[in-house]
Amino acid sequence: MNDLVVHRVGRGPEVVLVHGGAGPRATWAGMESLAERWTLLSVYRRGFEPSPPVRGRHDFEVDAQDLAAVFQGRPHVVAHSYGVLGTLLAAVRDPASVRSLTLIEPPLYFLAPTDPEVVRLKYLGDTVLTDGLDAEPDSLREFLTLSGAPGIGAGSLPESARAAVRRAQHARLPGEIQLDLDVLRRNGIPALVASGAHTAGLERICDALAAALSAERLIAPGAGHFVAAAPGFTDRLERFLTASRTIR
């Protein structure tokens, strides 16, 4: 395959889980019951131990190359946040490599470039990815809060949040991605787009993405950016996966 670490658990059809800026444990909490009927392959992206370090910086192009190898068995794929970027690049290049796509709160700003909420979201994300802990403090806290980082109050930032910002700094900006989403729609790839009803900009992006892919749309509030932990998400995801098993 490649030198990424992929943890495998469960039995049944394969479901690849691709995390974003947070690690797999935080991203996929709440989905453990799926392992009773599905084989869950949890990818550790470069820069997240025990996978190797990044090649200079986090880059969705490198993610796409890594994931192309992981997708060789034509799995269902569930991707979150920054992890959606590499997932979509790999799927667009080889639509036959994925059985279905579940896409959770991706930073695909180009889908609604003039929406004020999306413009604000892009500003916050780009600022933190560029300036890291030197970003304007209020913007940094706002971004960390909407990203689901715990313990973001008025005092000093928790070390876990500081470490996450340092890890993400200098990542390739999401606005640089170029995608022909029509490829996925023309190839009939079943898709589910999910969000957590906590940030208006992400809701607008997810609405536009669902329209572009002719995808099912799921809004699952209650867990912020970590939508997988929201009440009812796992049941709804499993219904989608089961329906998608018989397509193509």
Side-chain angles (χ1 to χ4, degrees), residues 65-154:
Q65 296 168 13
D66 286 335
L67 292 171
V70 179
F71 295 169
Q72 286 182 354
R74 193 169 171 253
H76 301 276
V77 182
V78 182
H80 180 258
S81 196
Y82 196 94
V84 172
L85 306 182
T87 294
L88 283 176
L89 275 178
V92 164
R93 291 168 181 170
D94 186 6
S97 68
V98 295
R99 188 171 298 276
S100 74
L101 292 168
T102 297
L103 309 170
I104 306 172
E105 296 202 344
L108 293 172
Y109 309 126
F110 74 90
L111 290 170
T114 62
D115 184 285
E117 298 289 351
V118 176
V119 171
R120 175 64 180 173
L121 186 65
K122 182 178 185 298
Y123 165 77
L124 291 173
D126 288 357
T127 296
V128 174
L129 291 183
T130 300
D131 297 335
L133 293 170
D134 292 327
E136 193 276 323
D138 288 344
S139 296
L140 176 59
R141 289 180 185 277
E142 184 177 353
F143 177 80
L144 288 170
T145 298
L146 68 86
S147 298
I152 306 302

Side-chain angles (χ1 to χ4, degrees), residues 1 15 36 51 65 69 73 147 153 194 215-217 232 237 239-240 246:
M1 188 178 289
V15 181
E36 297 174 8
S51 280
Q65 296 168 13
S147 298
E216 297 182 34
R217 182 75 169 89
L237 172 62
R239 290 198 297 272
F240 169 74
T246 60

Side-chain angles (χ1 to χ4, degrees), residues 11 17 48 51 57 71 81 123 126 149 154 159-160 181-182 185-186 205 223 227 242:
R11 63 181 67 185
L17 307 177
F48 290 82
S51 280
R57 63 172 182 170
F71 295 169
S81 196
Y123 165 77
D126 288 357
E159 180 52 34
S160 60
L181 295 174
D182 283 343
R185 186 171 57 187
R186 290 196 304 268
I205 289 171
V227 181
T242 299

